[in-house]
Every structure is written in structure tokens, then in C-alpha cells.
Amino acid sequence: MKKIFFDSCLYLSAILVLLFPVGTLSAQSKKSSSVQNMILITGGTFNMGSPETENWREKDELLHPVTLDSFYISRYEVTQEEYERVMKKNPSSFKGKLLPVENVTWYDAVHFCNALSAAEGLSPVYEVSGDRVVWNRNADGYRLPTEAEWEFAARAGTQTPFSSEKAPGDSDANFYAHYPYNIEQNYFNDSVLDTRPGHYRQHTVEVGSFKPNGSGLYDVHGNVSEWCWDFYGNYSIGAAKNPTGAEKGSARIARGGGWNDFGKHLRCAYRSSQIPDEASLSCGIRVAKNTK
């Protein structure tokens, strides 16, 4: 089982639709109300995983076609202000209203989704009984994205290792920028790198501090990794439609990499796994929602 560094470590384009007009919210309120900034990702087919030629590819990144229905996903990672307003507590190690909530378990993320749904008069998505969680796929409330949905939204129509053509540097994402993508084999000749070693911040930063990807999502690379619904397991061989991961397992998926991850762990295809009842100060939440 893989952990995020230190703590665990399309062809079709996504069409972006804001549920709320941008002009109605101030810059700060937009960041502090990420669930009010849900973006419609129009369904389609894409190649999930990575080609065998991709540097630092892992064996569990089998390239295969996936077809998804449309879904909503939040523009920002859930902030501490938002989490505290709903859950009446803030477990984060790095404190700040507009910093992403972190130090949350997968179960914490599930309970947050249900509490947020209830607060907005929506049907809770998850039925929780002890450690057993059942997903009601017909519910209209908030939920965690599936691993496939996360990668589809993160790629935003690209087929490169990252959602941008060039590997991210410290001005593009918050990560362990001393070790950008491909530094390992070019440590003594970083002039050949897309991105040179940069500043390592050693903490989270406010959501939305960098440019968004092509889907309009902020921080899909770095800051905090984001819990997904799926159990960790091997991909199914062949084409898949609306996959939801392995039927059972001991770990859940977290995607995107965090502030303390190497550049190679920020790749769109990289799959981190964590024990669902363990929290990490580099793992947080991005919510999703059905379109109907």
C-alpha cells in the first residue's frame, strides 16, 4: 500500500458551468464557500491511467478507457472556515480560514458530506453504520468524487503527466519543490528539467493561490491531496463506465498530492492510498455532486 510522501505521499474537454455567477461573490467569499462554486463537468470518455512511456509511472496506473456521466465538483478544496461552519470543529494542523481543511480521515470526509447535505436540505448520500459506509447513488447531496471523476476533472482534456503541458514549479503549485518532476535522474544537471528546484513552503497555502486547470479547478496538484470514494485496488482490464473502485479493501484512494509531496506524486495518474481512519496533515477534501 502506498502512502503520500512523508504522511502517506480526452480527449473530450470538460465544459465548465458555475452554479452561481462569479460577480455575485467577493474574492474571499468565493474561496470560503467552495461548495457554492461547484463546476459542471460534462461527461465523456478519456484514457485513465498513464502510458508505459511516462516517467515515474507506477505499475497500478494501467491505461484504459473510461466513460463517465456528467457530475459537479467543487472549484476549491474545502476550507477550514467551511468545514468548521458545518462540523463545529477544526482538526487542521495549519490554521487559517481560507487554508484547506486537513488532518481529516476518510470517515470525517464522509460525515462532512452528509452534514453539508443536511444543512442545505439535500438527501445525505452515505448511510454510515460503524465502519460500514453505503453510497446511495440516487441521493442529491454532496459526496466524494470517485477516483475516475477526480482524474477526469484534473486532466481537463489533457493526456500529459500533469494538467498543464509543463511540470508544475513552486509558482504553479504548493509541493516539495526541492524535488520537481524528473529531478531524481537529473539531480546534477537540472538544466534539462522542465522546472528547476524551487521554494519548499512546508505548509498549506490558501485555496486558489495558483492558476486553475482547464476545468477551472484550483489546487488539483499539491496543497493537500483529496479523498476519493474508492477502495484502493487494481483497475479493471478493458473499458469501464462510471467505475467506483474495488469492491473491498483496507485503504481508500487520495489524489493530487500535497504540500510535502515530490513532483512525481502530483501527476494526474498517481494513486495514493491511505487507511480510512487515519488522518494526515497533507490530506483534505474536495466534494462532488450528482447532476440529477
Side-chain angles (χ1 to χ4, degrees):
M1 180 180 63
K2 296 186 297 183
K3 302 286 284 185
I4 298 175
F5 177 64
F6 288 153
D7 293 298
S8 59
C9 205
L10 292 159
Y11 189 78
L12 299 176
S13 296
I15 298 176
L16 314 178
V17 177
L18 289 175
L19 292 183
F20 294 85
V22 172
T24 64
L25 296 172
S26 68
Q28 177 162 330
S29 66
K30 284 191 291 183
K31 289 183 181 180
S32 63
S33 302
S34 64
V35 296
Q36 294 185 29
N37 285 270
M38 302 293 283
I39 291 178
L40 175 64
I41 303 296
T42 299
T45 300
F46 78 112
N47 288 321
M48 184 176 183
S50 62
E52 294 182 1
T53 56
E54 184 168 305
N55 286 345
W56 296 105
R57 177 184 191 265
E58 301 276 357
K59 293 181 179 179
D60 59 1
E61 298 172 12
L62 176 70
L63 194 66
H64 63 294
V66 170
T67 300
L68 295 173
D69 294 334
S70 299
F71 61 97
Y72 291 109
I73 193 165
S74 55
R75 179 183 293 272
Y76 301 106
E77 296 167 332
V78 173
T79 65
Q80 294 176 32
E81 180 180 45
E82 183 174 44
Y83 188 89
E84 188 169 1
R85 183 171 63 245
V86 174
M87 304 303 288
K88 311 305 180 188
K89 60 183 179 180
N90 181 5
S92 303
S93 298
F94 305 107
K95 300 296 185 182
K97 288 184 177 181
L98 299 184
L99 297 179
V101 69
E102 27 83 6
N103 206 29
V104 288
T105 69
W106 183 86
Y107 291 106
D108 291 334
V110 163
H111 286 299
F112 171 76
C113 289
N114 275 358
L116 181 62
S117 299
E120 297 192 6
L122 302 173
S123 301
V125 169
Y126 302 115
E127 299 172 10
V128 184
S129 178
D131 292 341
R132 185 171 183 269
V133 180
V134 178
W135 174 7
N136 177 2
R137 302 187 190 186
N138 295 318
D140 62 356
Y142 294 97
R143 60 178 176 80
L144 299 178
T146 65
E147 184 180 15
E149 287 173 335
W150 188 96
E151 186 170 325
F152 185 59
R155 287 191 174 281
T158 65
Q159 299 182 67
T160 47
F162 306 92
S163 61
S164 55
E165 183 176 348
K166 188 183 74 170
D170 62 2
S171 62
D172 307 303
N174 181 28
F175 69 109
Y176 194 69
H178 291 336
Y179 285 79
Y181 187 51
N182 285 332
I183 187 65
E184 289 84 352
Q185 66 268 45
N186 297 292
Y187 193 81
F188 296 104
N189 185 19
D190 63 20
S191 65
V192 303
L193 297 175
D194 282 346
T195 302
R196 303 286 185 86
H199 176 58
Y200 174 36
R201 297 176 177 85
Q202 304 183 55
H203 55 73
T204 58
V205 298
E206 289 188 4
V207 301
S209 294
F210 306 97
K211 291 181 180 179
N213 74 347
S215 294
L217 305 186
Y218 291 86
D219 302 309
V220 292
H221 303 304
N223 214 16
V224 291
S225 58
E226 300 156 13
W227 283 115
C228 294
W229 161 258
D230 311 43
F231 280 117
Y232 176 77
N234 292 329
Y235 289 145
S236 299
I237 297 176
K241 183 173 183 180
N242 296 321
T244 56
E247 292 185 5
K248 58 183 179 180
S250 60
R252 296 280 183 170
I253 290 290
R255 286 297 205 107
W259 57 269
N260 57 355
D261 269 295
F262 287 144
K264 64 184 179 183
H265 293 156
L266 272 58
R267 293 179 300 111
C268 289
Y270 180 72
R271 310 174 69 203
S272 176
S273 62
Q274 292 185 229
I275 302 300
D277 60 359
E278 292 183 358
S280 164
L281 70 168
S282 61
C283 188
I285 306 169
R286 188 187 299 270
V287 296
K289 195 173 179 292
N290 293 346
T291 57
K292 56 182 179 179

